[in-house]
Amino acid sequence: MSWLLKSSIGRKFIMALSGCCLVLFLLFHMCMNVVSIISIEAYEAICGFLGTNWYAVLATGGLALLFIVHILYALSLTLKNKKARGNDSYAMSSSLSSVTWTSKNMFVLGVVVLVFLLLHLYDFWFKMMFAELFNLHDIVVLPEEVGGHMAMLFGSPVKVALYFIGIVALWLHLTHGVWSMFQSTGLNGRTWYPRLKCIGNIVATIICLGFLIVPIFFLAKHFLCGAC
Ligand code: HEM
């Protein structure tokens, strides 16, 4: 078991596994959010169903653990790579033609996604789950109020622009993440690698388009029909 924690391939495997679970969460979260543009009542009902019970809190804890493991291992891999390359890091990375802009900036993209996530958790999770759990009556947004909350939030072009930047960074991070996951797990043969990469790119694009459409829909609604 210790190879999982100590060896480079073990670390990459944990990165890939935690990344895979996070992608499944994103797929679920995106599908749930798309419901909000079809029927806000249905979306509020889903938020109420997922609710603020101890199962939901447990699931949030598990999710947080996944994020933490993924981030800590990313940090450790990046530091190890830097150390291994030493002063030659620039020369080495620029000489490898297969190393794309996204792969060189995977860590930076991860940081942009993390900053976006903190902003997003403040916008929703803090005001919904956290505020309800700790009886913060002044700021709590109840499930039946989430439609109004989203309309207010995404009525601001600045907020929508911030979400746009965060989601584009997520797309770049995911499209490269899927590539490196296949490298780490050894699924990088000539036949399957291009196919899996293509599937990965399609999944990342569907996830990010699904996320993007929500704030854009609410912003368009705000400008086109005001309070209607
Ligand atoms: C842009 C469209 C998005 C909308 C409308 C949206 C909406 C929401 C809502 C309403 C919640 C609170 C759920 C609750 O506490 O009951 C939530 C939580 C959360 N969102 Fe999003 N989200 C979006 C994008 C994203 C993206 C792109 C990510 C990841 C990078 C993300 C990650 C999370 C996480 C980790 C939680 C906490 C989950 C939990 O409480 O267990 N969301 N989101």
Side-chain angles (χ1 to χ4, degrees):
M1 272 309 270
S2 67
W3 70 272
L4 266 181
L5 300 170
K6 289 190 179 141
S7 70
S8 165
I9 187 74
R11 287 203 190 102
K12 281 191 166 188
F13 182 77
I14 290 189
M15 282 289 292
L17 195 67
S18 55
C20 219
C21 296
L22 289 171
V23 165
L24 288 179
F25 161 75
L26 287 177
L27 258 177
F28 168 77
H29 193 45
M30 180 276 290
C31 291
M32 175 184 148
N33 288 336
V34 168
V35 173
S36 71
I37 64 174
I38 301 166
S39 159
I40 199 66
E41 290 79 15
Y43 185 68
E44 289 175 345
I46 296 173
C47 287
F49 176 71
L50 293 176
T52 306
N53 50 57
W54 289 106
Y55 297 117
V57 175
L58 212 67
T60 303
L63 195 60
L65 197 72
L66 271 177
F67 271 107
I68 290 169
V69 166
H70 195 73
I71 293 164
L72 287 183
Y73 271 74
L75 257 175
S76 134
L77 272 172
T78 308
L79 289 177
K80 268 211 165 301
N81 283 348
K82 266 201 178 301
K83 215 171 161 190
R85 286 179 194 165
N87 291 336
D88 288 339
S89 90
Y90 177 76
M92 267 196 74
S93 54
S94 58
S95 65
L96 290 171
S97 58
S98 63
V99 179
T100 59
W101 186 87
T102 15
S103 79
K104 278 194 235 163
N105 293 285
M106 192 65 179
F107 188 75
V108 179
L109 285 170
V111 173
V112 176
V113 173
L114 187 65
V115 171
F116 160 74
L117 191 61
L118 292 177
L119 167 86
H120 173 60
L121 289 180
Y122 173 72
D123 283 344
F124 288 99
W125 176 82
F126 178 71
K127 292 178 183 169
M128 292 176 75
M129 186 184 266
F130 189 87
E132 207 178 332
L133 275 176
F134 293 95
N135 292 319
L136 305 177
H137 301 294
D138 292 346
I139 54 162
V140 74
V141 174
L142 297 170
E144 59 272 25
E145 296 165 346
V146 75
H149 181 62
M150 281 164 82
M152 185 267 292
L153 218 61
F154 297 138
S156 151
V158 175
K159 182 69 81 177
V160 174
L162 290 176
Y163 270 66
F164 189 88
I165 294 168
I167 294 166
V168 170
L170 177 67
W171 182 79
L172 290 167
H173 189 77
L174 286 181
T175 45
H176 177 74
V178 172
W179 169 81
S180 65
M181 184 170 78
F182 293 140
Q183 298 280 324
S184 320
T185 47
L187 288 168
N188 54 358
R190 274 178 181 227
T191 321
W192 276 100
Y193 173 63
R195 290 181 193 167
L196 292 172
K197 188 173 187 247
C198 177
I199 295 172
N201 283 346
I202 292 173
V203 173
T205 307
I206 292 174
I207 289 177
C208 292
L209 282 180
F211 276 133
L212 269 181
I213 205 170
V214 177
I216 291 174
F217 170 84
F218 278 94
L219 185 68
K221 201 170 159 203
H222 176 81
F223 280 112
L224 293 178
C225 62
C228 70

